[in-house]
Amino acid sequence: MNDSAGFVAHARWVIPVEPAGRVLDHHAVVVRDGRILAVLPSAQAREQFADRVQVELPRHALIPGLVNAHTHAAMTLLRGLADDLPLMPWLQQHIWPAEQRFVGPQFVRDGSALAVAEMLQAGVTCFSDMYFFGEETAQVAAAAGMRAVVGLIAIDFPSAYAADADDYLRKGIALHDAWHGHALIRTAFAPHAPYTVSDEPLRRIATLAEELDLPLHIHLHETAHEVAQSEARYGVRPLERLAQLGLLSPRLIGVHATQLLAGEIASLAAEGASIVHCPESNMKLASGTCPLPALLAAGVNVAIGTDGAASNNDLDLLGELKTAGLLAKLGSADAAAAPAPALLHMATLGGARALGLDEEIGSLVPGKAADMVALDLSAPHCQPVHDPVSQLIYAAGREAVTDVWVAGRRLLHERRLTTLDAAAIVAKAAEWGERIGAADHDHSSG
Ligand SMILES: [Zn+2]
């Protein structure tokens, strides 16, 4: 089947996300040249577009592709390496030594491929990444046909990737130039965090982000310790310091935000900045709780991310939405907090808006790219379907995902990856697992 010539996807339910709260019964999405041409009742589509390929999704919900707004794709190779540890021993005794020893282009290539395979199978069509050797991640995503916003990482410390702040920025801008204008790959500045990047590079990044018109993706207020350290060192909280350095703007994508004062939530809303909520990583590392209901009430744009697989330990965005919903309800003692449509919005249009891609993706409306996910709701654990949106969030899970399209190309076809060799990717990951595990054991015991 030649999808590029156009097709009509008929679904039991189409959930376009825009307009908000709408669920369309027995509707079809017409795709031409990778874009959505029309969303209309199936019966009408069969008459009007009878000459197109018809894709039947009779037990399925069809939704916009999910946007994982914060991850470190290559860290899939460190999944499960060291769990159930506090943040600092976890980082200092396991993650950082493994990264120092193994992270290079091949590690990032193989780890990114594992992440891309996992995410496509989970209905993720776009991810925003922050890691070293972003060129490798960009190549892997582009070759798979997946959409990605590749972070131009900056950090004060040397790594196998770059020597110092200047070197990171130089390499980042070269990466940006190399991919500029690509249909699927975008870039964003990705200074690691306020506590790992000093004033001078942050100021330059703020200026460069304006010049190149790029988002600015940074870990922010992840823990109370980070905030206390900033107050001791700079006399202000990290968000205030970023504001002083010119980083608080609609470009800002602050990740985690477990420590926010009411005034900070108001200024995030006033400046049009976005927050990426990563509840499972925050819970697993006991970092704190992002005040999701307060952010939504203030009108802050909120996206959702899995964070890296070392601290989650999966890249399951639907699972992350369920966690976000349950945590919001428990944390606010309000069962009405973060309802299912608001959660789905975070994983679609909210993510797209954070990444500056909301004109292109995030909802099923004519003119946007045909990034779509079909989920089969006929399994026992999904029945009966009173409300397909709440079913997706609270019951279905990623195992319901059967088909995924990015820009109209079917990358997952009845649960089979069409552009990736899943067996080869898994075999490479297992090889890395043996090498990394042996070194971690030597390091921990020596
Ligand atoms: Zn992270």
Side-chain angles (χ1 to χ4, degrees):
M1 167 173 25
N2 183 4
D3 284 350
S4 66
F7 63 95
V8 184
H10 298 274
R12 173 65 184 83
W13 302 277
V14 173
I15 303 168
V17 172
E18 247 180 329
R22 178 96 28 112
V23 176
L24 305 166
D25 283 305
H26 299 292
H27 266 59
V29 177
V30 183
V31 175
R32 190 178 67 192
D33 297 329
R35 293 198 173 267
I36 297 169
L37 183 66
V39 180
L40 73 178
S42 264
Q44 198 183 328
R46 286 186 203 283
E47 282 181 20
Q48 223 174 311
F49 299 96
D51 56 333
R52 311 287 173 96
V53 171
Q54 313 285 315
V55 177
E56 305 297 338
L57 303 164
R59 303 170 303 278
H60 302 65
L62 188 64
I63 65 171
L66 302 176
V67 178
N68 186 355
H70 177 70
T71 191
H72 313 278
M75 291 185 83
T76 46
L77 294 179
L78 304 178
R79 186 197 325 262
L81 175 67
D83 290 325
D84 310 320
L85 292 171
L87 180 64
M88 279 305 142
W90 176 72
L91 279 175
Q92 290 168 346
Q93 290 164 30
H94 299 278
I95 299 300
W96 288 344
E99 288 190 323
Q100 271 161 22
R101 177 144 179 197
F102 293 106
V103 171
Q106 196 62 46
F107 176 98
V108 173
R109 173 164 289 264
D110 293 344
S112 295
L114 185 64
V116 163
E118 179 182 0
M119 287 193 281
L120 285 174
Q121 288 178 327
V124 174
T125 54
C126 177
F127 66 104
S128 176
D129 201 64
M130 178 195 285
Y131 209 60
F132 309 103
F133 301 98
E135 178 67 25
E136 302 295 328
T137 304
Q139 281 177 14
V140 166
M146 192 175 184
R147 207 178 288 282
V149 178
V150 177
L152 313 177
I153 195 169
I155 192 164
D156 283 350
F157 317 112
S159 67
Y161 175 60
D164 55 28
D166 281 350
D167 198 19
Y168 282 103
L169 278 180
R170 199 164 44 240
K171 289 191 161 107
I173 288 165
L175 201 165
H176 167 76
D177 290 346
W179 290 89
H180 191 62
H182 191 277
L184 296 174
I185 306 299
R186 304 276 184 109
T187 57
F189 282 101
H192 173 264
Y195 62 94
T196 53
V197 187
S198 43
D199 286 359
E200 160 58 18
L202 284 174
R203 222 181 260 118
R204 282 181 55 203
I205 286 168
T207 307
L208 286 166
E210 284 296 323
E211 283 175 19
L212 299 175
D213 192 21
L214 293 185
L216 214 156
H217 174 191
I218 186 167
H219 294 112
L220 182 65
H221 290 207
E222 182 171 1
T223 62
H225 175 72
E226 171 194 337
V227 175
Q229 199 184 34
S230 176
E231 284 174 324
R233 189 163 162 200
Y234 299 103
V236 290
R237 292 162 64 87
L239 182 63
E240 175 60 26
R241 178 166 156 250
L242 292 191
Q244 290 172 3
L245 295 169
L247 282 79
L248 180 53
S249 79
R251 302 185 184 285
L252 181 70
I253 306 168
V255 180
H256 296 308
T258 73
Q259 315 289 320
L260 287 178
L261 306 173
E264 290 171 332
I265 293 173
S267 66
L268 287 167
E271 296 292 340
S274 293
I275 292 297
V276 184
H277 184 24
C278 300
E280 292 186 3
S281 172
N282 296 155
M283 293 166 80
K284 185 160 178 278
L285 296 171
S287 299
T289 306
C290 174
L292 177 63
L295 288 166
L296 294 176
V300 176
N301 181 54
V302 184
I304 187 143
T306 56
D307 210 352
S311 64
N312 186 304
N313 291 358
D314 58 41
L315 307 181
D316 175 0
L317 209 64
L318 279 174
E320 203 75 27
L321 288 179
K322 179 173 181 176
T323 303
L326 300 184
L327 183 61
K329 293 167 196 308
L330 181 69
S332 61
D334 176 8
L343 295 165
L344 184 61
H345 184 277
M346 284 165 52
T348 52
L349 207 48
R353 186 174 152 201
L355 302 176
L357 287 172
D358 48 331
E359 302 275 302
E360 183 74 1
I361 58 168
S363 57
L364 301 180
V365 298
K368 285 197 180 184
D371 289 17
M372 313 190 293
V373 176
L375 300 101
D376 184 345
L377 298 184
S378 67
H381 74 279
C382 298
Q383 286 291 316
V385 182
H386 296 295
D387 175 347
V389 177
S390 85
Q391 211 76 332
L392 291 178
I393 302 296
Y394 298 120
R398 65 175 161 180
E399 61 279 10
V401 172
T402 60
D403 294 85
V404 172
W405 291 265
V406 172
R409 188 174 174 201
R410 203 171 189 171
L411 304 184
L412 191 73
H413 188 143
E414 293 171 6
R415 295 197 160 89
R416 189 176 46 80
L417 292 163
T418 62
T419 56
L420 292 167
D421 181 346
I425 288 169
V426 168
K428 276 190 186 161
E431 274 173 38
W432 278 108
E434 288 194 14
R435 289 174 59 195
I436 294 167
D440 182 65
H441 181 78
D442 290 350
H443 181 86
S444 309
S445 57

